[in-house]
Amino acid sequence: MSALWENQGGLQWQTQGEEDQDVLVEELHNLIVWNDDINTFDHVIESLIDVCEHSPEQAEQCAMIIHHKGKYGVKKGSFDFLRPLAEALINRGIQATIDY
């Protein structure tokens, strides 16, 4: 049973249940792409589109952030989901890691 209640001007959810339930929460990780002086913007953008299924606009924005910040989390998911993506980027010569 869930109820919405007001607390000091803000709304909060309060959940009541008949018994405690164990919930399996899968931990999400970030696929991080690192800046380098080797790969071109076009190569990184094309790789993000092909490997991570980003739109061209999203891939271009990620490439700009990677260039200016030095790294960026381009995809979020489980480790098992991200691992083949990281390997595919690495196979294209792009430095990629998965955070923990």
Side-chain angles (χ1 to χ4, degrees), residues 30-80:
N30 286 300
L31 172 59
I32 299 172
V33 173
W34 297 81
N35 189 37
D36 62 31
D37 295 329
I38 299 166
N39 293 294
T40 65
F41 275 95
D42 288 340
H43 178 64
V44 173
I45 291 167
E46 180 181 315
S47 296
L48 291 174
I49 292 169
D50 293 345
V51 173
C52 298
E53 299 181 350
H54 285 356
S55 68
E57 295 81 11
Q58 183 181 15
E60 184 178 345
Q61 290 174 350
C62 288
M64 292 299 292
I65 294 169
I66 293 163
H67 176 72
H68 290 289
K69 299 278 187 177
K71 66 179 181 176
Y72 186 63
V74 297
K75 196 83 167 176
K76 187 176 286 257
S78 70
F79 182 85
D80 291 337

Side-chain angles (χ1 to χ4, degrees), residues 2-16:
S2 296
L4 184 63
W5 58 285
E6 192 169 330
N7 181 15
Q8 297 177 350
L11 298 178
Q12 296 182 351
W13 281 100
Q14 180 181 22
T15 303
Q16 298 174 342

